[in-house]
Amino acid sequence: MKRHGLVTAALVTFASQASATDLGTPASDRLSAWSWTGCYLGAHAGGLWGDSDKWIPRTPGGAFEGVSLGGHSVDGIIGGVQGGCDYQAASGVVIGFAGEYGWTNADGTHPSARETGVFYHSEVEALTSVTGRLGYAFNRAFLYVEGGAAWEQVDYRASTTMIGTAYRASDTRSGWTIGGGSEYGFTDRLSAFIEYGYYDFGTERIRLSPQYSFLPTAFVDIEDTANVVRAGINLRFGR
């Protein structure tokens, strides 16, 4: 809750400062031709935190089948690129679509809730999303909500104190995302934004590949979610 409160405060502050800037400009400037219609490319950076939860074994005949082995939190930084297009109606309503790709080092580990000397680890490598967005423009200030499809590239690992890494898996998981933010146009070509996004990848059965020949292939259900706060800049064109 504290993190979500900080996110809300940051978005409100950003929007308030943008609006205050507009109110302080001459009337002739505020009435000048400004529109969010056009396309953009840019870059962003921020933070990611989330959960890799449940870790329920599903190996037929295996130990603790159907019983949760616990879960852990993940956190790290994220940075990447984005692009999209917007259309602003005469009423000030803005609709658009965007694509984002972010590299991240968010990871986490937990000891097994049922086994001794066994640890489970996950590391998020990248997040991708394709979203639609809807908002309202206050001249150069733009408030919006967005949502759509998302993908997560993630690595999983199981290790023991006796033999080290026993199992590995890499997966690209699909899910959905929803969020919102604010953007401000500093010039006709340059804008900056801050936004929050929630990502949900549901529960998926992961195939764990053994790292030793004497181990069988294993299966586990894992539930992944993530939260991202990022700020970035966009170079706008086609206006």
Side-chain angles (χ1 to χ4, degrees), residues 193-206:
F193 69 90
I194 182 171
E195 66 181 22
Y196 164 79
Y198 171 77
Y199 294 77
D200 195 317
F201 300 100
T203 300
E204 183 173 317
R205 188 153 301 176
I206 305 300

Side-chain angles (χ1 to χ4, degrees), residues 156-160 163-170 207-218:
Y156 300 106
R157 188 170 73 248
S159 62
T160 75
I163 64 173
T165 299
Y167 289 94
R168 287 183 181 274
S170 294
R207 182 183 185 274
L208 296 171
S209 299
Q211 302 302 292
Y212 296 92
S213 59
F214 60 84
L215 293 173
T217 298

Side-chain angles (χ1 to χ4, degrees), residues 59-133:
T59 307
F64 305 109
E65 183 180 0
V67 179
S68 175
L69 300 179
H72 57 262
S73 298
V74 298
D75 61 80
I77 60 174
I78 187 170
V81 294
Q82 72 279 340
C85 294
D86 295 314
Y87 172 76
Q88 181 176 336
S91 63
V93 173
V94 179
I95 59 174
F97 65 89
E100 296 179 335
Y101 185 91
W103 296 270
T104 178
N105 65 351
D107 66 350
T109 302
H110 77 274
S112 173
R114 303 281 179 173
E115 304 151 302
T116 301
V118 179
F119 300 86
Y120 297 100
H121 178 84
S122 65
E123 181 175 357
V124 183
E125 300 285 345
L127 284 183
T128 307
S129 65
V130 176
T131 58
R133 66 177 185 171

Side-chain angles (χ1 to χ4, degrees), residues 134-158:
L134 174 67
Y136 191 83
F138 301 88
N139 199 3
R140 292 178 181 266
F142 174 35
L143 301 178
Y144 59 89
V145 294
E146 60 185 352
W151 296 267
E152 171 193 49
Q153 184 180 337
V154 58
D155 295 332
Y156 300 106
R157 188 170 73 248

